[in-house]
Amino acid sequence: MRELLLSVRPILSSVMTNLGIKEEEWFDLLDSSTDSSFADIAMPCHSLSKKLKKSPMQIADEILEGVGEDLCDFCTLSSINGFLNFSANSKWLNECLQNHILDQRLGVSLDEQRTIVVDYSSPNVAKHMHVGHLRSTVIGDSLVRMLTYKGHNVVRENHIGDWGTPFGMLIEHLIDVNGNDTINNVDLAIFYRDAREKFDSNVDFADRSRERVVKMQSNDPDSIYYWQMLVDQSLVHFNEVYQMMGVLLNNNDIAGESKYESLLSEVVEKLEEAGLLHESQGAQVVFPEGWYNREGNPLPLIIRKADGGYNYATSDLACIIDRVQNVGATDFLYVVGAEQSQHFAMVFEVARKAGFMNKKITATHVPFGLVMGTDGKKLASRTGGAVHLKDLLMEAIERANSIIAEKNPSLSNDERNEIARMLGIGAIKYADLSTDRNNNYTFDWEKMLSFDGNTAPYLQYAHARICSIFSKANIDRKDVQRAIISVSDEREISLAKAILSFPEYLDKAIVSNSPHKLATQLHSLAQAFGTFYEFCPVISSETDIFESRLALCDLTARTLEQGLNLLGIEAPKKM
Ligand code: ARG
């Protein structure tokens, strides 16, 4: 839209001045219009009405008349219901496409570089990852990919829960069951459950556990030895899941609560210095401005509990100090479920008040809704417990495998397994990423694995289909990129507009931390391609049309592949 806007600007300028409308008034109006897209702008004349004492319809008509034929070279202009509509014509689109096809970045510009810490996934040690972590991991991974592509310095932060009170009982249980032996191959979820049961039923064990936390948090070597065993075992499980999911996270990104442990006393000192620390029922707390409980009393953010232990919020504050000082963070994104909104709002408020973050640094909680089962309830396993992520991923791949086997029996086993992996994992991720993250979404196998509709397989299939057009005709994609592109058919024009909109939608997705905005655009692109391919013959056309249409195919495939990649989804060449 920007490009079209800049082309329109000089011509519109004189007409507007004659009508008595200042540049900043109408240009902002065009720029901010939400009904606009890359090649179509809808300018609402309603807000000019009062000043000019004319109806929006009248204003739109007068502008239209003033412009006359001047825009015809690249744009058609019409006035409908007080809106002035600019629609780029094929000449303008052809020029854009010609630049676009030679651009490896498909028109995506680089932003001025910022250092963005993205906190995501962040599961808890000695517990299985659940679907909440699935959402955080999938959304976070996509945001990281998009921001990196825009040229930012992205710091991935897997803030695992590895330092809290449960470690007391876990370590004691570990000592009870096998002393110094390793705990390889132990199911940590069962281990956790057993420790919990003992903690709840055995007073002596509970006491030992409490003492153990204190020992561990004061870095007693014995306790740390067992603690490390639990952490290592958990990391094996997390990494297995990350690898299956094909996300970028690895061990270098682990920055759990324990990492900030040595900074916790500094947090207290700094809050004290800033005059923010208060004592409340033996605990040290801060009362962030604007937060009250139901009784109307100020709501505390607990920094240090009465027993001397530090809190979840304290690690988050320590992390902010560390990332600002040592990493040079300019922005923080926390991809964590909506239920932690209050926690983050309070932490940000305190961090600002205490001067841990200056005004230029942004901190944003990127919340998301729940994953629901097809029964309308929160997604649960058959036995009613939390769904294990690994099982979910494996089921997706298995299901995709049978679908592929049926659709394309000629594939070799290896080929089919590989495609099934891309499809199954892609389907789960896309189902998550294609809905507005603020909403709950329904986990529906049939729907997410369908080849129709707004699904990963639909987009992947469009991509694979184009790849097969090229391979069947034995044409090198690189050769096509030198073609003269000329769109004239309305289906070609729609496809061209969808291709050219990619950079704009990527920006929209980034600005609002909403991958679904990119997903939606990719889906429209695949649909536009479907219609184009149905009505505009490619292979059987005359040479120049053939080349131009092949170029559109190439651009579609490249955009789909790049777009899916930014969502963390692979695009097989064959399906
Ligand atoms: N481990 C936490 C949980 O599972 C999420 C941590 C989110 N990140 C943070 N910096 N607090 O709920």
Side-chain angles (χ1 to χ4, degrees):
M1 174 175 130
R2 269 265 136 189
E3 277 92 318
L4 183 60
L5 209 55
L6 294 177
S7 312
V8 168
R9 189 178 193 154
I11 296 172
L12 221 51
S13 219
S14 61
V15 177
M16 292 304 212
T17 315
N18 286 343
L19 289 172
I21 312 168
K22 288 201 206 84
E23 169 108 4
E24 58 274 18
E25 283 171 317
W26 64 265
F27 193 76
D28 287 350
L29 211 56
L30 274 180
D31 203 10
S32 61
S33 171
T34 46
D35 286 335
S36 304
S37 66
F38 180 80
D40 301 282
I41 304 174
M43 172 178 165
C45 298
H46 307 74
S47 62
L48 300 171
S49 204
K50 205 163 157 202
K51 182 174 174 216
L52 299 180
K53 302 204 174 57
K54 289 174 187 164
S55 75
M57 273 72 97
Q58 221 175 339
I59 299 171
D61 285 344
E62 281 180 24
I63 300 174
L64 189 65
E65 205 169 300
V67 172
E69 300 285 294
D70 289 348
L71 283 174
C72 291
D73 216 23
F74 55 91
C75 183
T76 50
L77 196 60
S78 59
S79 144
I80 302 164
N81 291 336
F83 280 86
L84 202 59
N85 296 311
F86 303 78
S87 185
N89 64 21
S90 32
K91 181 167 178 255
W92 190 81
L93 289 171
N94 288 338
E95 267 172 41
C96 291
L97 289 164
Q98 213 66 61
N99 292 330
H100 208 75
I101 197 156
L102 293 173
D103 182 0
Q104 288 313 309
R105 293 183 53 81
L106 297 162
V108 177
S109 60
L110 289 170
D111 279 349
E112 194 186 318
Q113 194 181 59
R114 299 184 64 92
T115 296
I116 307 172
V117 175
V118 186
D119 184 317
Y120 66 113
S121 193
S122 309
N124 298 316
V125 164
K127 284 189 179 173
H128 270 279
M129 292 174 77
H130 56 68
V131 287
H133 298 122
L134 167 76
R135 293 216 71 185
S136 173
T137 310
V138 170
I139 297 168
D141 185 60
S142 169
L143 296 179
V144 165
R145 288 170 190 266
M146 295 195 284
L147 291 166
T148 307
Y149 193 59
K150 287 294 282 184
H152 295 291
N153 173 25
V154 181
V155 179
R156 302 190 292 257
E157 168 114 6
N158 194 355
H159 195 90
I160 57 172
D162 62 356
W163 202 242
T165 35
F167 279 95
M169 66 176 196
L170 291 168
I171 294 175
E172 283 305 320
H173 184 50
L174 181 59
I175 293 173
D176 283 0
V177 291
N178 58 1
N180 284 323
D181 286 346
T182 55
I183 46 164
N184 290 344
N185 303 322
V186 167
D187 184 332
L188 280 173
I190 296 175
F191 186 87
Y192 191 98
R193 194 197 57 200
D194 292 349
R196 175 97 251 167
E197 264 171 29
K198 230 154 90 182
F199 185 87
D200 290 338
S201 60
N202 180 334
V203 185
D204 173 49
F205 181 80
D207 284 343
R208 265 161 54 203
S209 301
R210 283 192 202 95
E211 282 161 31
R212 181 59 73 179
V213 185
V214 180
K215 275 197 206 160
M216 179 191 91
Q217 293 194 340
S218 50
N219 283 311
D220 155 55
D222 233 24
S223 308
I224 294 297
Y225 169 82
Y226 291 114
W227 168 81
Q228 191 69 54
M229 261 160 75
L230 290 162
V231 173
D232 289 347
Q233 179 66 12
S234 285
L235 289 183
V236 173
H237 163 66
F238 298 158
N239 285 329
E240 201 181 359
V241 171
Y242 294 150
Q243 234 153 43
M244 277 179 91
M245 287 174 77
V247 294
L248 300 168
L249 284 172
N250 61 48
N251 277 349
N252 297 331
D253 307 318
I254 298 285
E257 293 168 12
S258 68
K259 177 179 165 161
Y260 302 105
E261 178 262 339
S262 60
L263 284 170
L264 298 175
S265 53
E266 197 182 317
V267 173
V268 177
E269 276 162 36
K270 290 201 152 122
L271 292 172
E272 183 103 70
E273 271 166 36
L276 294 171
L277 215 56
H278 298 270
E279 185 151 331
S280 168
Q281 297 168 13
Q284 288 176 298
V285 306
V286 179
F287 293 106
E289 221 174 282
W291 290 94
Y292 299 95
N293 63 16
R294 263 189 232 145
E295 290 77 43
N297 299 322
L299 205 61
L301 185 71
I302 300 174
I303 302 299
R304 194 165 195 187
K305 290 178 279 188
D307 66 6
Y310 295 100
N311 231 12
Y312 182 50
T314 326
S315 323
D316 271 329
L317 289 168
C319 168
I320 292 177
I321 298 178
D322 175 69
R323 305 277 103 168
V324 171
Q325 284 180 355
N326 301 325
V327 183
T330 56
D331 305 88
F332 289 89
L333 296 180
Y334 293 85
V335 189
V336 185
E339 66 284 356
Q340 292 194 31
S341 289
Q342 177 174 319
H343 164 77
F344 286 109
M346 290 172 90
V347 165
F348 298 163
E349 168 73 23
V350 172
R352 285 210 191 283
K353 268 273 143 61
F356 303 164
M357 288 193 284
N358 65 28
K359 278 213 187 79
K360 285 194 193 132
I361 298 175
T362 71
T364 313
H365 175 211
V366 181
F368 48 80
L370 302 173
V371 185
M372 312 299 281
T374 37
D375 57 2
K377 295 193 196 124
K378 210 170 147 176
L379 188 69
S381 68
R382 276 186 207 96
T383 52
V387 179
H388 290 175
L389 226 50
K390 203 176 136 190
D391 299 343
L392 209 66
L393 299 171
M394 280 188 337
E395 183 166 352
I397 298 172
E398 263 166 46
R399 283 177 183 259
N401 209 312
S402 350
I403 296 174
I404 299 288
E406 202 175 300
K407 288 225 189 256
N408 190 352
S410 67
L411 292 169
S412 74
N413 274 349
D414 284 352
E415 274 177 330
R416 194 187 61 244
N417 290 338
E418 184 59 3
I419 295 169
R421 187 187 58 75
M422 296 187 195
L423 231 71
I425 301 294
I428 289 199
K429 287 184 171 180
Y430 192 83
D432 196 311
L433 294 171
S434 57
T435 31
D436 185 331
R437 63 175 162 75
N438 289 301
N439 299 338
N440 296 345
Y441 79 90
T442 304
F443 194 95
D444 181 342
W445 286 119
E446 301 267 308
K447 206 170 133 203
M448 70 173 75
L449 281 161
S450 162
F451 276 56
D452 285 318
N454 192 7
T455 65
Y458 178 74
L459 301 188
Q460 288 169 319
Y461 184 67
H463 173 264
R465 194 162 160 201
I466 300 173
C467 292
S468 86
I469 298 174
F470 283 98
S471 62
K472 276 199 192 120
N474 210 0
I475 297 164
D476 189 344
R477 297 264 292 267
K478 284 269 166 319
D479 291 343
V480 169
Q481 292 166 14
R482 285 190 289 272
I484 308 281
I485 310 179
S486 167
V487 295
S488 54
D489 183 282
E490 58 174 299
R491 269 92 30 150
E492 290 176 319
I493 291 180
S494 301
L495 180 60
K497 287 181 180 178
I499 291 169
L500 293 165
S501 302
F502 175 61
E504 188 175 327
Y505 280 87
L506 176 58
D507 285 347
K508 284 186 183 167
I510 288 179
V511 168
S512 55
N513 300 308
S514 299
H516 81 277
K517 296 193 177 166
L518 176 61
T520 309
Q521 194 263 337
L522 295 178
H523 179 235
S524 311
L525 171 62
Q527 280 180 315
F529 177 77
T531 318
F532 159 81
Y533 198 61
E534 191 178 337
F535 294 99
C536 304
V538 177
I539 302 292
S540 58
S541 305
E542 288 170 33
T543 322
D544 50 343
I545 297 181
F546 165 70
E547 281 178 3
S548 169
R549 287 188 176 165
L550 271 182
L552 287 180
C553 291
D554 172 67
L555 271 172
T556 306
R558 279 163 60 197
T559 311
L560 284 173
E561 189 188 4
Q562 182 61 58
L564 283 169
N565 180 284
L566 294 175
L567 297 176
I569 297 172
E570 291 174 82
K573 291 203 162 52
K574 205 170 167 180
M575 265 168 81

